[in-house]
């Protein structure tokens, strides 16, 4: 099982200096991948946890980290695909893959906050059907020229679409979501699945089993898929899996691997003492460096 790390993208510790420091140190220690996530806004009518109050753009953050590193992978966990047209997000991601020399891992999702759909001018309804077509459109955009695509939601006239990603035939695409349809979609269409911050780590095996089963039914090899656990790690009293002392958190890794997880990335952004707007950015970085050292591969 590989080990990744969540970039400082939420709250007060999401500074240029901290992003560079964490990215470089994670690479030096042999972590597999750096990860970001997306939140556009927090509606006044629907208060959200402090982690969502201020979040750096996921693709821009990874591009910034890419410039400070050489080898470590760069993953979005996740970008809500409906918020940008496939041609726009496809170019952004292809550019990141080119500039990082093929280090991109694309994690996509549906989105779940209606206010974000309103703000981006996209209907909230039929998100699943839209995402499935989106994946096919991305494959066309990243495929041979001339590109042409005609669907219910998206259309690309016959065109040359450059640059193409470095990775062939394209960067891996993983999907989020834990509803039965989302898990089925990941097995049928994607290169793997990413668990959400709220997902119970003790139930990962059940979800992975659904994804693998859907892949088999679609005539695909489930052993080719990647299963990523967002490891919301909180150092303190032991309340659940991936909490407690650093030793206890580290001791949880074999149980994740036994469930079929191929990579866990340690994410401190969801710890209120780290990823909140009022957290101390210096103290958060100091804590992150300690965690990086203790949980390194």
């Amino acid at each position: 099982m590989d080990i990744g790390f969540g970039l400082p993208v939420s709250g007060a510790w999401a500074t240029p200096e901290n992003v560079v420091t964490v990215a470089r140190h994670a690479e030096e220690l042999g972590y597999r991948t750096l990860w970001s996530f997306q939140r556009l806004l927090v509606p006044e009518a629907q208060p959200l946890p402090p982690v969502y109050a201020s979040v750096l753009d996921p693709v821009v953050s990874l591009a910034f980290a890419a410039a400070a590193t050489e080898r470590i992978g760069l993953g979005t966990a996740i970008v809500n695909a409906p918020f940008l047209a496939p041609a726009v997000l496809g170019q952004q991601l292809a550019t990141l893959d080119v500039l990082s020399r093929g280090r991109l891992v694309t994690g996509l999702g549906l989105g779940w906050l209606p206010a974000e759909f309103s703000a981006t001018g996209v209907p909230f309804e039929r998100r699943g059907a839209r995402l499935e077509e989106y994946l096919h459109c991305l494959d066309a955009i990243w495929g041979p020229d001339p590109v042409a695509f005609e669907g219910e939601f998206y259309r690309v006239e016959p065109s040359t679409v450059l640059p193409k990603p470095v990775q062939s035939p394209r960067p891996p695409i993983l999907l989020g979501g834990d509803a039965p349809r989302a898990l089925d979609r990941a097995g049928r269409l994607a290169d793997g699945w990413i668990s959400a911050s709220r997902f119970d780590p003790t139930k990962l095996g059940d979800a992975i089993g659904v994804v693998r089963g859907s892949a088999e039914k679609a005539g695909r090899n489930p052993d080719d898929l990647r299963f990523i656990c967002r490891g919301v790690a909180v150092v303190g009293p032991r309340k659940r899996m991936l909490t407690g002392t650093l030793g206890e958190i580290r001791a949880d890794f074999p149980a994740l691997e036994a469930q079929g997880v191929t990579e866990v990335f340690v994410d401190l952004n969801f710890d209120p003492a780290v990823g909140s707007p009022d957290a101390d950015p210096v103290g958060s970085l100091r804590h992150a460096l300690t965690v990086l050292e203790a949980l390194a591969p």
Side-chain angles (χ1 to χ4, degrees):
M1 185 180 70
D2 294 314
I3 304 175
F5 204 84
L7 275 177
V9 294
S10 175
W13 84 310
T15 67
E17 297 79 11
N18 285 358
V19 170
V20 169
T21 299
V22 168
R24 287 178 174 167
H25 200 47
E27 181 172 77
E28 291 167 358
L29 292 170
Y31 281 83
R32 170 71 182 272
T33 318
L34 298 167
W35 296 89
S36 62
F37 70 95
Q38 184 177 53
R39 180 93 286 131
L40 297 181
L41 50 79
V42 177
E44 290 191 2
Q46 188 177 353
L48 299 176
V51 63
Y52 296 126
S54 175
V55 181
L56 299 179
D57 179 87
V59 178
V60 175
S61 300
L62 292 177
F64 190 77
T69 56
E70 296 180 356
R71 303 176 305 279
I72 195 167
L74 307 160
T76 59
I78 47 81
V79 168
N80 293 313
F83 297 167
L84 288 174
V88 177
L89 183 59
Q91 185 184 59
Q92 291 179 350
L93 294 174
T95 299
L96 177 54
D97 202 50
V98 168
L99 295 179
S100 69
R101 297 181 175 89
R103 291 188 274 152
L104 173 66
V105 180
T106 302
L108 300 178
L110 290 175
W112 54 267
L113 188 61
E116 289 185 322
F117 283 81
S118 297
T120 53
V122 181
F124 188 78
E125 295 74 25
R126 302 196 64 210
R127 294 170 295 152
R130 182 180 293 273
L131 179 59
E132 294 204 12
E133 185 175 298
Y134 200 107
L135 298 177
H136 296 308
C137 190
L138 273 183
D139 277 340
I141 288 168
W142 288 344
D145 291 316
V147 169
F149 185 84
E150 186 76 41
E152 179 182 357
F153 304 101
Y154 304 107
R155 180 173 184 267
V156 180
E157 297 182 9
S159 307
T160 297
V161 181
L162 297 173
K164 303 297 184 187
V166 170
Q167 298 178 76
S168 180
R170 56 161 171 74
I173 294 179
L174 315 179
L175 296 182
D178 52 33
R181 287 185 179 180
L183 298 174
D184 174 71
R185 185 180 300 117
R188 287 187 292 109
L189 300 175
D191 301 306
W193 175 69
I194 303 174
S195 68
S197 60
R198 66 185 181 278
F199 198 88
D200 182 353
T202 66
K203 306 296 184 183
L204 287 166
D206 295 337
I208 289 171
V210 174
V211 177
R212 290 178 61 89
S214 295
E216 285 190 294
K217 290 178 182 177
R220 310 176 70 208
N221 184 357
D223 293 336
D224 292 337
L225 303 184
R226 296 169 66 172
F227 296 98
I228 314 297
C229 168
R230 181 189 293 279
V232 178
V234 179
V235 178
R238 177 76 170 177
K239 296 181 178 179
R240 54 169 175 77
M241 204 172 187
L242 299 176
T243 67
T245 66
L246 287 169
E248 288 174 322
I249 293 172
R250 179 95 193 199
D252 286 332
F253 288 179
L256 297 176
E257 186 172 19
Q259 295 183 78
V261 172
T262 60
E263 178 178 346
V264 56
F265 73 92
V266 179
D267 197 343
L268 302 180
N269 288 289
F270 288 79
D271 180 349
V274 176
S276 301
D278 57 353
D280 172 24
V282 176
S284 295
L285 177 62
R286 188 183 307 115
H287 175 64
L289 295 178
T290 300
V291 175
L292 274 165
E293 294 279 354
L295 302 182

